């Protein structure tokens, strides 16, 4: 079976040099190995994703000389697949509704920090501080019936009791030089969100469901997602999904040393193209000469 690669941007802004690097690495690697390249549009964040950004993704990738298989998978068209996965996790007793608003969560964290530092996840966000998992069943039912919106969270401690000793095969490199067999540490993320209040899934859930359904064998993506792989491996194990190989790559940074953002116009592919840069120039700029 030829290896299957994917590039999975979110249409919430225009692509920049960092996306070009990731997309070109996937494309080159697929070509070198006789593999397939898929494109997946990760558009579950309905508030931030826009059709014009999706159109721009196709144009910019084609301009770079990248070819991908069609049809493209758009996550917003596959909510039933994510629902099915959620139901499976629910049946394992690992999912609970959490009703707090963002402001209430921030308040809870602040209150807990009165007793010392509250733990943060690998991205620097505070772990879920609430106690929704221990709400009495009657209270939970009352809140649901009264229409209070809720997110669905993973009971991380219970999940880690069901599967432990998880690892992944890292053929790229983590931010601290991790490579080879890496031990997953999903507990570092706390009770992650599986379905948001405003959308019936989450990044973690949809990415593992899609990678499995699309039979992706090799995941080439930025080191900013290295630690998220721990959560992905846990969900794969719980859902009985196959384990891909991971190849995390270094990030292209701005002149200020920071990660590029979609709002930084000086590194946007459209701006660079308008300024006269060629696809060959983009390759050279990201070190793929
Ligand atoms: N959609 C994610 C992003 O734009 C990438 C997902 C992945 O490669 O796992 O950063």
């Amino acid at each position: 079976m030829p290896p299957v690669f994917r590039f999975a941007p979110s249409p919430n802004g225009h692509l920049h040099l960092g996306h070009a690097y990731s997309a070109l690495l996937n494309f080159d690697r697929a070509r070198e190995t006789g593999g397939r390249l898929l494109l997946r549009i990760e558009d579950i964040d309905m508030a931030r994703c826009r059709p014009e950004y999706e159109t721009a993704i196709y144009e910019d990738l084609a301009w770079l000389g990248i070819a991908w298989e069609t049809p493209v998978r758009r996550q917003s068209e596959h909510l039933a697949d994510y629902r099915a996965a959620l139901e499976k996790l629910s049946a394992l007793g690992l999912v609970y509704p959490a009703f707090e608003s963002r402001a209430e969560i921030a308040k809870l964290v602040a209150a807990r920090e009165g007793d010392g530092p509250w733990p943060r996840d690998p991205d620097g966000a505070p772990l879920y501080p609430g106690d929704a998992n221990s709400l009495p069943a009657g209270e939970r039912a009352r809140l649901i019936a009264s229409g209070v919106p809720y997110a669905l969270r993973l009971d991380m401690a219970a999940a880690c009791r069901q599967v432990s000793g998880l690892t992944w095969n890292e053929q790229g490199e983590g931010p601290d030089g991790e490579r080879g067999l890496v031990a997953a540490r999903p507990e570092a993320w706390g009770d992650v969100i599986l379905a948001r209040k405003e959308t019936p899934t989450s990044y973690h859930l949809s990415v593992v469901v899609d990678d499995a359904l699309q039979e992706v064998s090799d995941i080439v993506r930025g080191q900013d997602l290295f630690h998220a792989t721990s959560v992905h491996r846990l969900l794969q194990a719980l859902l009985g999904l196959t384990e891909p190989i991971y190849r995390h790559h270094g990030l292209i940074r701005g002149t200020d040393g920071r990660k590029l953002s979609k709002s930084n116009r000086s590194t946007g592919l459209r701006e660079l193209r308008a300024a006269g840069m060629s696809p060959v120039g983009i390759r050279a700029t990201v070190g793929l000469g």
Side-chain angles (χ1 to χ4, degrees), residues 6 8-10 42 203 207 221 225 262:
R6 56 41 163 203
S10 296
E42 303 212 324
Y203 161 64
V207 91
R221 64 182 178 190
L225 294 169
K262 282 180 172 159

Side-chain angles (χ1 to χ4, degrees), residues 53-275:
Y53 288 136
E54 182 177 332
T55 308
I57 288 172
Y58 301 139
E59 282 172 14
D60 291 349
L61 294 178
W63 174 72
L64 281 174
I66 291 174
W68 58 91
E69 285 184 16
T70 53
V72 166
R73 184 173 172 96
R74 301 170 75 234
Q75 291 189 323
S76 58
E77 294 170 351
H78 298 277
L79 299 181
D81 291 330
Y82 314 132
R83 194 170 311 124
L86 257 180
E87 277 163 17
K88 215 164 161 181
L89 295 170
S90 277
L92 294 172
L94 300 177
V95 180
Y96 66 89
F99 302 88
E100 297 92 346
S101 63
R102 273 173 202 271
E104 283 165 343
I105 289 191
K107 245 173 111 175
L108 280 171
V109 171
R112 297 201 181 233
E113 298 220 294
D115 304 329
W118 181 249
R120 312 228 149 208
D121 71 22
D123 282 349
L127 300 196
Y128 172 64
D131 55 6
N133 195 20
S134 49
L135 276 186
E139 174 65 358
R140 188 175 278 175
R142 190 191 63 75
L143 285 167
I144 292 177
S146 67
V148 179
Y150 57 87
L152 293 174
R153 288 186 177 268
L154 179 71
D155 181 340
M156 184 58 81
C160 290
R161 282 194 295 274
Q162 293 195 14
V163 278
S164 58
L166 287 171
T167 56
W168 78 84
N169 178 355
E170 177 61 55
Q171 298 203 345
E173 197 172 71
D176 293 316
E178 304 92 332
R179 53 171 67 226
L181 204 61
V182 176
R185 292 196 54 246
E187 64 281 3
W189 291 90
D191 288 1
V192 290
I193 290 189
L194 295 174
R196 301 197 163 273
K197 286 182 180 174
E198 60 288 349
T199 188
T201 183
S202 63
Y203 161 64
H204 294 309
L205 185 68
S206 11
V207 91
V208 297
V209 168
D210 285 350
D211 285 335
L213 281 175
Q214 297 190 287
E215 300 180 331
V216 173
S217 60
D218 294 62
I219 296 186
V220 178
R221 64 182 178 190
Q223 273 172 356
D224 50 338
L225 294 169
F226 178 83
H227 292 294
T229 309
S230 285
V231 177
H232 300 173
R233 287 291 302 118
L234 176 65
L235 293 176
Q236 286 159 357
L238 293 167
L239 293 165
L241 307 176
T242 49
E243 176 187 351
I245 290 167
Y246 289 87
R247 187 180 292 267
H248 290 94
H249 59 74
L251 301 177
I252 305 287
R253 301 200 177 263
T255 41
D256 56 1
R258 295 173 64 164
K259 197 175 131 181
L260 300 185
S261 87
K262 282 180 172 159
S263 54
N264 183 345
R265 301 192 150 258
S266 63
T267 51
L269 295 184
R270 315 218 117 198
E271 284 76 11
L272 293 168
R273 169 157 50 140

